[in-house]
């Protein structure tokens, strides 16, 4: 055998080993691609119902938000009506109530002046944790 023939045999063996190695790599790559394809198919089968459920949930949430918006609008209307009613009541009854209170105060003052001859016990008023003396009464010169 000559040196060229030995070199040719070595190159042929090298190519055979390289082709065998590439064949093994390609077989494993094909298995990986099959497993990946199966995994993607399984994920797709599970994802489609999940997406349908998510879509239904979003629609339900939108419906609930619409209801909450309607309730908030009604509450705002009730609040404005209550404010208007409060203003009306205050303007209708406020003046006469102030007059009645003033009249009551005047009657009380007049009654207290009549009974000035009787001794008045000292009264103290409690205001936020403090004791405040009762107001002093002026003595009439008679």
């Amino acid at each position: 055998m000559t040196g060229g023939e030995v070199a040719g045999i070595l190159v042929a063996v090298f190519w055979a080993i390289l082709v065998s190695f590439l064949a093994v790599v390609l077989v494993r790559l094909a298995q990986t691609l099959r497993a990946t394809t199966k995994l993607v198919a399984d994920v797709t089968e599970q994802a489609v119902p999940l997406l349908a459920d998510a879509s239904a949930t979003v629609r339900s949430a939108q419906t609930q938000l619409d209801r909450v918006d309607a309730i908030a609008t009604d509450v705002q209307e009730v609040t404005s009506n209550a404010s208007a009613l409060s203003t009306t009541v205050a303007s209708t009854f406020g003046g006469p109530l102030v007059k009645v209170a003033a009249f009551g105060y005047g009657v009380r003052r007049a009654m207290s002046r009549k009974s000035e001859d009787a001794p008045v016990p000292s009264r103290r008023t409690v205001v936020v944790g403090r004791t405040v003396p009762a107001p002093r009464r002026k003595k009439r010169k008679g």
Side-chain angles (χ1 to χ4, degrees):
M1 237 199 259
T2 64
E5 291 175 349
V6 172
I9 292 176
L10 286 176
V11 169
V13 169
F14 174 74
W15 279 107
I17 292 173
L18 181 65
V19 168
S20 299
F21 177 73
L22 287 176
V24 169
V25 169
L26 287 175
V27 167
R28 290 196 178 173
L29 181 63
Q31 289 175 349
T32 304
L33 286 176
R34 275 191 227 111
T36 304
T37 303
K38 185 177 184 259
L39 180 66
V40 168
D42 291 344
V43 167
T44 302
E45 287 176 12
Q46 293 177 0
V48 170
L50 287 175
L51 288 175
D53 290 345
S55 177
T57 303
V58 168
R59 274 189 243 112
S60 175
Q62 181 63 36
T63 302
Q64 295 299 327
L65 284 175
D66 291 341
R67 288 180 184 169
V68 168
D69 188 38
I71 290 170
T73 302
D74 292 343
V75 167
Q76 185 178 10
E77 185 178 334
V78 167
T79 303
S80 66
N81 289 344
S83 175
L85 180 64
S86 171
T87 303
T88 302
V89 167
S91 65
T92 302
F93 295 113
L97 285 177
V98 168
K99 290 177 184 176
V100 166
F103 177 75
Y105 177 73
V107 167
R108 198 173 17 165
R109 279 289 290 245
M111 296 300 282
S112 70
R113 285 189 182 162
K114 280 185 181 180
S115 65
E116 268 186 12
D117 297 334
V120 178
S122 176
R123 248 179 25 176
R124 293 185 178 263
T125 307
V126 177
V127 178
V128 190
R130 298 176 123 195
T131 303
V132 180
R136 296 182 186 171
R137 300 198 183 263
K138 293 182 182 179
K139 291 189 177 182
R140 288 178 138 181
K141 290 184 180 179

